[in-house]
Amino acid sequence: MCPSKKTSVVSGFYKLPIEKRREFVAQFANLNEDDVKSFSSCLDLATADRMIENVLGTFEVPLGLAVNFLINNKDYIIPMATEESSVVAAASNAAKIARVKGGFSTTCSEPLMIGQLQLLHIKDVAAAAQKIMQHKKQLLTVANAQDKILVDFGGGAKDIEVRILESPLGHMIVTHLIVDVRDAMGANAVNTMCEALAPVLEEITGGIVRLKILSNLADKRLVKATAIFDKEKMGGDQVVDAFLESYVLASIDPYRAATHNKGIMNGIDALIIATGNDFRAIEAGAHAYAARNGQYTSLTQYHKNKDGDLVGKIELPMAVGVVGGAANMHPKAKLCRKILGVKTARELAEVVASLGLAQNFAALFALSTVGIQKGHMSLHAKNIAVMAGAQGDEIEKLADFLVHDGKVKLDYAKELLEKIRKKS
Ligand code: MEV
């Protein structure tokens, strides 16, 4: 079952028993015995107790694996932590179609985060803004003194920008501190620098600094992914056209765009969680970016190329880290990074964006053809079978009957289970 060359393509992965799936992952990602064992273990209580307050226990969600991904000519298998059925299968299927025309290609900007300092009670905001820019060198020196390690790694505070905003309380200055956070998500580094800069800014301007905090609209830390989806694999010209008709609504209507982008985040969040990153930060950045031109719209774009294939693109902020925070503390997050084989935040961001595009393609592909309920039904039927009392082999058998009869309902499942048991 395991291919000799390192490829993420594996057909019928979903049909394999869990042990065989683990064998595949172990071979692909060179996992050791302890790694494989830890798939079954929960986060230990002592670690959990250090991560948040008032700990009672841990809360589990399923960890699945998306296969078939080819990103910048490298094969990836992608761990996904999610409670939603069909998401992992849909991503794997989209990646399989994308492979035909070379998989996903990505680009990523430098890991620049923005810290905001809100300055109030200033009489002459224009003059104060000028003064801030004149002290740029001093401000960057103070900021960089807060994180020598980051500076040693080539990161640190790089720039200062000043914005004058009108508010119901009068004019205010918002100073942006631009920080290269290298392989971290960066919240701690940026917030520490902002807090250190606050008294210096007050002294320079005579104003009062109120907020000093990172912005989750990380629009200087963008990632882009693109892929060509083969028209024949999609089912021909008509399917491509139907796809584009479905897509266009998200580009013009916020009601649809919210659902469309939610589908993108189904994939993105699952990987963000699996790698111990902050999914709220990614969500906030994504949705704010989707509204950057004044109207909330789609994070993806699609068009047909001259061969009639579908070209998909995604662009969004991606503040992820491979060092620091939960990414370092949570043993499964470390294991998931090992499975992915990513060493840098940039590479992780590129995989995340590709997965988001794959997830969106899969949703629109299903929605513009058979609908999404079909994909949901087989797992749902298994849950109904269990609820009806099926055990062992009965579960699969009963679920198959339910899907076949198009009646995935509890009362029907109970009735059918009785019949199956009487027959055997
Ligand atoms: C469901 O979790 C996600 C979808 O609604 C996304 C979409 O409509 O594009 C299927």
Side-chain angles (χ1 to χ4, degrees), residues 84 87 256 259-260 262-264 266 360 363-364 367 372 376:
E84 185 166 335
V87 165
R256 172 57 202 155
T259 322
H260 177 99
K262 188 273 182 185
I264 294 173
N266 276 345
N360 181 237
L364 283 181
L367 286 167
I372 60 158
H376 276 113

Side-chain angles (χ1 to χ4, degrees), residues 132-306:
I132 294 172
M133 291 315 283
Q134 282 159 2
H135 286 80
K136 178 167 149 179
K137 210 169 156 204
Q138 180 201 351
L139 292 166
L140 293 180
T141 306
V142 173
N144 281 327
Q146 310 307 311
D147 201 332
K148 296 233 162 58
I149 296 176
L150 183 60
V151 174
D152 285 348
F153 275 101
K158 300 289 178 191
D159 206 359
I160 299 278
E161 290 171 358
V162 177
R163 299 161 65 214
I164 297 173
L165 300 182
E166 249 183 71
S167 84
L169 302 179
H171 281 94
M172 63 180 79
I173 297 179
V174 178
T175 303
H176 282 191
L177 175 69
I178 315 299
V179 186
D180 181 330
V181 296
R182 298 283 88 196
D183 283 317
M185 185 274 181
N188 273 335
V190 172
N191 292 338
T192 307
M193 288 180 182
C194 286
E195 288 189 8
L197 283 190
V200 187
L201 270 184
E202 285 177 347
E203 206 179 300
I204 292 170
T205 60
I208 290 176
V209 172
R210 193 63 66 204
L211 289 175
K212 28 197 182 292
I213 186 78
L214 154 138
S215 167
N216 286 121
L217 176 50
D219 62 359
K220 291 184 187 291
R221 196 178 187 182
L222 295 175
V223 62
K224 294 182 197 178
T226 179
I228 299 171
F229 299 94
D230 183 71
K231 76 166 181 208
E232 300 307 336
K233 285 278 165 205
M234 286 180 66
D237 287 312
Q238 281 182 348
V239 180
V240 175
D241 290 341
F243 185 107
L244 287 169
E245 284 167 6
S246 302
Y247 154 68
V248 82
L249 187 57
S251 71
I252 56 164
D253 175 25
Y255 286 93
R256 172 57 202 155
T259 322
H260 177 99
N261 290 342
K262 188 273 182 185
I264 294 173
M265 302 316 285
N266 276 345
I268 288 184
D269 284 350
L271 177 53
I272 293 296
I273 293 169
T275 53
N277 275 282
D278 181 345
F279 66 92
R280 286 87 53 212
I282 301 300
E283 284 276 349
H287 296 295
Y289 195 66
R292 67 192 177 284
N293 294 325
Q295 176 170 330
Y296 186 85
T297 185
S298 165
L299 287 165
T300 53
Q301 284 95 42
Y302 292 92
H303 69 269
K304 209 192 306 192
N305 68 11
K306 61 177 178 12

